[in-house]
């Protein structure tokens, strides 16, 4: 079974731009969660989607948004990029979101200049 | 979710058992203990979880004290590939916490030849 895939793997953007990251969950998994990882703050939960609905949300500004499609693939968008948005963005999939195990993708490394 | 406390770093000799402690003194009765690890530049990987009984799988063993205030992850025969950051997470299983893991700073385990 293929694992969680994320595209692109690396991205360089300029302040003020927007960016869209993509995540394809493991086949059959309906929950997708997104995390931001920075050296200073560690791994922080952004939001979770299940059946195309956002069910849970972390403490991030409205510039961070996401969506999920009917095939469970998910995208997250960051608008008006700031230097502090430079991070590794990870997505994780699980069967239901209430599952014990989450399976993480390799992440997208975003650099904002 | 209850907070966890882990030592920031530990060393282990290759081939020996690695015992990683975690303190979760405020854990409540319906909270599970999870362990994940993150090898450099990869997404976190689920290892094991438990409620109150000791658990073992092909990767590791989880020993939870009788009062559930602390636990130990045991890697029975550590290899160089086990060098990673290990996260102990306490989480309520169920719809109140869908898709969300709260990561602390973890323990950096260095396995040495």
């Amino acid at each position: 079974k293929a694992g969680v895939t994320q595209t692109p793997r690396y991205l360089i953007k300029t302040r003020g731009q927007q960016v869209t990251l993509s995540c394809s969950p493991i086949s059959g998994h309906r929950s997708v969660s997104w995390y931001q990882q920075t050296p200073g703050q560690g791994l922080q939960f952004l939001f979770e989607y299940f059946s195309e609905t956002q069910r849970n949300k972390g403490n991030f500004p409205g510039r961070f948004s996401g969506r999920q499609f009917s095939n469970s693939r998910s995208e997250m968008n960051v608008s008006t990029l700031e230097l502090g948005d430079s991070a590794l963005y990870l997505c994780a999939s699980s069967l239901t979101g209430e599952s014990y195990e989450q399976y993480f993708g390799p992440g997208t490394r975003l650099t904002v200049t | 979710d209850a907070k966890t406390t882990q030592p920031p770093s530990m060393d282990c000799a290759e081939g020996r058992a690695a015992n990683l402690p975690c303190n979760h003194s405020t854990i409540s009765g319906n909270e599970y203990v999870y362990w994940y690890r993150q090898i450099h530049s990869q997404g976190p990987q689920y290892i094991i979880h438990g409620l109150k009984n000791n658990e073992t799988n092909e990767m590791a063993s989880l020993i939870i004290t009788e009062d559930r205030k602390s636990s130990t992850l045991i890697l029975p025969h550590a290899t160089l590939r086990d060098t990673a950051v290990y996260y102990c997470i306490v989480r309520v299983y169920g719809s109140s916490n869908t898709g969300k893991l709260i990561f602390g700073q973890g323990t950096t385990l260095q396995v040495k030849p």
Side-chain angles (χ1 to χ4, degrees):
Chain A
K1 206 182 240 189
V4 178
T5 58
Q6 293 187 245
T7 55
R9 292 293 312 279
Y10 301 91
L11 205 49
I12 300 175
K13 289 287 188 178
T14 305
R15 267 184 305 176
Q17 289 186 316
Q18 74 160 13
V19 67
T20 299
L21 312 181
S22 180
C23 173
S24 292
I26 291 172
S27 177
H29 285 192
R30 296 171 63 192
S31 167
V32 174
S33 298
W34 288 89
Y35 294 82
Q36 180 196 66
Q37 185 171 27
T38 60
Q41 299 298 318
L43 272 156
Q44 293 186 285
F45 172 76
L46 280 156
F47 30 64
E48 185 243 2
Y49 285 86
F50 180 83
S51 292
E52 303 177 65
T53 301
Q54 186 183 88
R55 282 199 307 191
N56 208 347
K57 190 175 187 306
N59 189 26
F60 278 81
R63 299 185 298 105
F64 292 82
S65 63
R67 59 178 176 168
Q68 186 181 35
F69 302 94
S70 58
N71 61 359
S72 294
R73 190 177 70 85
S74 178
E75 290 180 346
M76 69 161 281
N77 184 76
V78 188
S79 62
T80 320
L81 284 165
E82 300 177 359
L83 295 179
D85 297 333
S86 293
L88 180 66
Y89 290 89
L90 292 154
C91 83
S93 78
S94 66
L95 278 170
T96 65
E98 298 168 355
S99 307
Y100 295 115
E101 304 172 34
Q102 285 192 6
Y103 296 86
F104 284 78
T108 294
R109 172 75 61 185
L110 172 65
T111 302
V112 182
T113 61
Chain B
D1 294 324
K3 291 192 184 296
T4 61
T5 304
Q6 298 178 253
S9 64
M10 291 182 63
D11 289 343
C12 177
E14 189 178 19
R16 304 297 294 269
N19 296 280
L20 293 97
C22 179
N23 182 287
H24 31 78
S25 58
T26 60
I27 193 169
S28 59
N30 62 346
E31 288 182 310
Y32 285 74
V33 180
Y34 295 77
W35 283 83
Y36 280 75
R37 73 179 181 183
Q38 187 174 24
I39 296 170
H40 183 61
S41 299
Q42 298 181 21
Q45 176 190 24
Y46 165 83
I47 301 173
I48 200 166
H49 74 275
L51 183 62
K52 48 184 158 182
N53 296 322
N54 297 338
E55 303 287 345
T56 296
N57 64 20
E58 64 279 3
M59 285 183 68
S61 295
L62 173 60
I63 309 297
I64 303 174
T65 58
E66 196 168 339
D67 63 7
R68 303 210 323 122
K69 293 185 176 182
S70 66
S71 61
T72 301
L73 178 75
I74 301 172
L75 307 178
H77 306 286
T79 71
L80 298 178
R81 287 178 294 179
D82 292 321
T83 293
V85 179
Y86 287 77
Y87 297 98
C88 170
I89 298 167
V90 171
R91 176 179 180 228
V92 172
Y93 173 78
S95 58
S96 65
N97 223 2
T98 57
K100 178 180 180 181
L101 296 171
I102 300 176
F103 290 85
Q105 296 305 307
T107 296
T108 298
L109 175 68
Q110 182 73 48
V111 180
K112 299 186 173 182

